[in-house]
Amino acid sequence: ETGVTQSPTHLIKTRGQQVTLRCSSQSGHNTVSWYQQALGQGPQFIFQYYREEENGRGNFPPRFSGLQFPNYSSELNVNALELDDSALYLCASSLAVEGGELFFGEGSRLTVL
Amino acid sequence: GQSLEQPSEVTAVEGAIVQINCTYQTSGFYGLSWYQQHDGGAPTFLSYNALDGLEETGRFSSFLSRSDSYGYLLLQELQMKDSASYFCAPSGGYQKVTFGIGTKLQVIP
């Protein structure tokens, strides 16, 4: 167990809706990264937050947005959901040191109908 | 651009040794991590190489050659529980980690 918790674990939305996924980082970790993992694929980097500021972004449109709070918990928001957004969304917390381990939560599985 | 190549599937016998190769092309390369993911589970960290050479952690070893943009993960004394997907993941600094499609390892009796 990594100490990283995500909620909800599963959810179903319809196309066009909005979703908020939450992540509670491991204690003491100041960096959180969000990944999208489609079935049979590797995790794809969405963005990273360090001390409440976005600190890097992958190839995802602006309708994917995030927040990191002073207690280092985090949210991923996705607007105008599309069918292709169906995936496992993984949150990973870490320290801001090179080579540091990413500690992943168990993910939120989103299905868009 | 960025690219990652590793075999999509590997099958090996319990007790044997298997090597999973990875070649990468990425900007701002800092080091190479390896992660393991069982079906339905979260990725878990195995190793990180910042410098050329071999890093050993128990039954697992990882190698990096920065000049060749190449690395490998070596798993020894394979056990059934090693059946999982393995991802090589180059780091662009401060855990901006990129994952490939992964290698699905099947360990057979």
Side-chain angles (χ1 to χ4, degrees):
Chain A
E1 191 171 312
T2 63
V4 179
T5 57
Q6 293 186 241
S7 63
T9 54
H10 296 80
L11 71 166
I12 300 173
K13 293 285 189 177
T14 56
R15 198 169 43 182
Q17 284 190 311
Q18 178 266 342
V19 68
T20 297
L21 307 178
R22 295 178 174 84
C23 173
S24 177
S25 297
Q26 185 175 109
S27 177
H29 284 181
N30 54 16
T31 302
V32 64
S33 304
W34 284 90
Y35 288 83
Q36 179 196 67
Q37 187 173 25
L39 204 60
Q41 304 295 313
Q44 298 301 301
F45 177 71
I46 303 175
F47 44 57
Q48 181 188 86
Y49 279 80
Y50 170 68
R51 291 188 175 178
E52 303 173 57
E53 297 286 331
E54 188 178 292
N55 186 40
R57 188 177 184 93
N59 190 26
F60 281 81
R63 61 189 183 83
F64 286 77
S65 63
L67 283 172
Q68 187 184 31
F69 300 101
N71 65 355
Y72 301 135
S73 64
S74 176
E75 285 183 358
L76 165 66
N77 299 287
V78 187
N79 294 321
L81 283 168
E82 300 177 0
L83 298 180
D84 285 349
D85 295 333
S86 295
L88 180 68
Y89 288 85
L90 294 161
C91 160
S93 77
S94 60
L95 293 170
V97 291
E98 184 47 45
E101 178 179 345
L102 291 176
F103 293 83
F104 282 88
E106 294 296 319
S108 294
R109 182 162 297 283
L110 171 65
T111 302
V112 183
L113 302 176
Chain B
Q2 298 196 47
S3 68
L4 264 176
E5 288 189 19
Q6 55 181 124
S8 58
E9 294 182 1
V10 173
T11 300
V13 177
E14 190 177 15
I17 299 172
V18 71
Q19 178 173 315
I20 300 174
N21 297 318
C22 170
T23 57
Y24 59 87
Q25 184 177 355
T26 184
S27 56
F29 177 79
Y30 278 71
L32 189 68
S33 299
W34 287 89
Y35 284 79
Q36 177 192 63
Q37 186 178 30
H38 288 98
D39 284 348
T44 55
F45 175 83
L46 294 176
S47 67
Y48 177 76
N49 293 67
L51 303 175
D52 286 0
L54 192 67
E55 296 278 345
E56 298 181 64
T57 309
R59 294 188 298 115
F60 294 0
S61 303
S62 57
F63 172 83
L64 176 66
S65 168
R66 297 176 71 101
S67 61
D68 295 324
S69 297
Y70 165 76
Y72 67 73
L73 179 70
L74 191 73
L75 298 84
Q76 302 182 73
E77 300 172 18
L78 280 172
Q79 302 176 8
M80 299 299 291
K81 67 178 181 179
D82 297 330
S83 293
S85 291
Y86 292 84
F87 296 93
C88 72
S91 170
Y94 294 98
Q95 292 83 48
K96 292 189 185 70
V97 177
T98 303
F99 290 78
I101 195 167
T103 297
K104 191 172 182 66
L105 171 64
Q106 182 181 13
V107 181
I108 57 175

